[in-house]
Amino acid sequence: MGMKQELTVNGILYRIDRLLGKGKGGYSYLAEKDGHQFVVKQIHHEPCDYYSFGNKIEAEMRDYERLEKAGIRIPRMFAADMETERIVKDYIEGPTVMELISSGVTDAPYLDQVRDMAAKAIAAGLNIDYYPTNFVVRDGLLWYVDYECNDYSEQWDFEHWGIQYWLPEKTAECETS
């Protein structure tokens, strides 16, 4: 994106600063409007061989509500545009857990917080995506910045699946593959 790009959500224009990341369901951009930073997520329909989707924008909205009800710390959703398949949410500034682990900073202070989130998720009958790029640390607090959640299955909970990606040696493998 050489030129400054803009995206419209429900008729409101957001100036795009940069791509924050691409996930299974969409592209997340750092955006600005009236001096405030937001994330604008553009849903994509690229195939994903290990995950099947229904209506992605409806899933984002449903998952947001489920996570909020479960008491998991997530960025606030400001808008959802069904027509353009875009959502606007709070931008949580800070390093991802993946960035911390990769730079040699211990994730130990955040293991209790992610386990607390995992307990809340289980209590609500959910799993979240524990991959470390989905968690941002701001002012010592861990935020789950993705809205993806699924019905609980022990196989995909933190202790059986997620924790392996929070261990520095496993993270190094992920980055080299």
Side-chain angles (χ1 to χ4, degrees), residues 96-162:
T96 66
V97 168
M98 178 69 86
E99 290 167 338
L100 292 175
I101 295 168
S102 299
S103 69
V105 176
T106 179
D107 61 2
Y110 310 110
L111 284 172
D112 285 345
Q113 290 186 51
V114 75
R115 284 189 168 113
D116 181 58
M117 285 183 185
K120 288 175 177 175
I122 291 170
L126 302 173
N127 275 330
I128 59 179
D129 185 346
Y130 293 104
Y131 200 69
T133 54
N134 292 324
F135 294 84
V136 169
V137 176
R138 183 176 72 190
D139 299 328
L141 292 178
L142 191 65
W143 291 77
Y144 179 55
V145 296
D146 195 359
Y147 292 154
E148 182 188 330
C149 61
N150 296 289
D151 292 336
Y152 179 76
S153 164
E154 183 179 76
Q155 166 187 7
W156 301 110
D157 70 12
F158 184 70
E159 298 302 335
H160 293 93
W161 179 80

Side-chain angles (χ1 to χ4, degrees), residues 19-29 39-51 53 56 60 89 129 131 133-134 145-148:
L19 177 69
L20 291 170
K22 174 188 183 248
K24 295 185 290 290
Y27 292 87
S28 293
Y29 298 96
V39 171
V40 174
K41 182 174 182 177
Q42 174 67 63
I43 301 299
H44 70 62
H45 296 282
E46 297 164 15
C48 180
D49 43 357
Y50 59 91
Y51 200 84
F53 296 95
K56 289 182 182 181
E60 290 273 342
K89 60 186 177 180
D129 185 346
Y131 200 69
T133 54
N134 292 324
V145 296
D146 195 359
Y147 292 154
E148 182 188 330

Side-chain angles (χ1 to χ4, degrees), residues 46-102:
E46 297 164 15
C48 180
D49 43 357
Y50 59 91
Y51 200 84
S52 62
F53 296 95
N55 181 314
K56 289 182 182 181
I57 190 85
E58 286 176 5
E60 290 273 342
M61 294 166 60
R62 181 187 63 243
D63 289 351
Y64 173 74
E65 287 177 16
R66 293 168 81 188
L67 292 167
E68 208 177 33
K69 211 174 278 178
I72 292 170
R73 190 179 303 110
I74 53 174
R76 193 169 98 206
M77 184 188 293
F78 289 98
D81 187 327
M82 303 301 276
E83 200 174 304
T84 62
E85 294 189 295
R86 294 179 185 140
I87 64 167
V88 177
K89 60 186 177 180
D90 260 335
Y91 172 59
I92 308 300
E93 190 172 4
T96 66
V97 168
M98 178 69 86
E99 290 167 338
L100 292 175
I101 295 168
S102 299

Side-chain angles (χ1 to χ4, degrees), residues 14-15 17 30-39 78 90-91:
Y14 291 84
R15 194 186 87 243
D17 291 332
L30 178 59
E32 188 268 329
K33 181 185 176 342
D34 299 331
H36 297 284
Q37 290 183 312
F38 299 93
V39 171
F78 289 98
D90 260 335
Y91 172 59

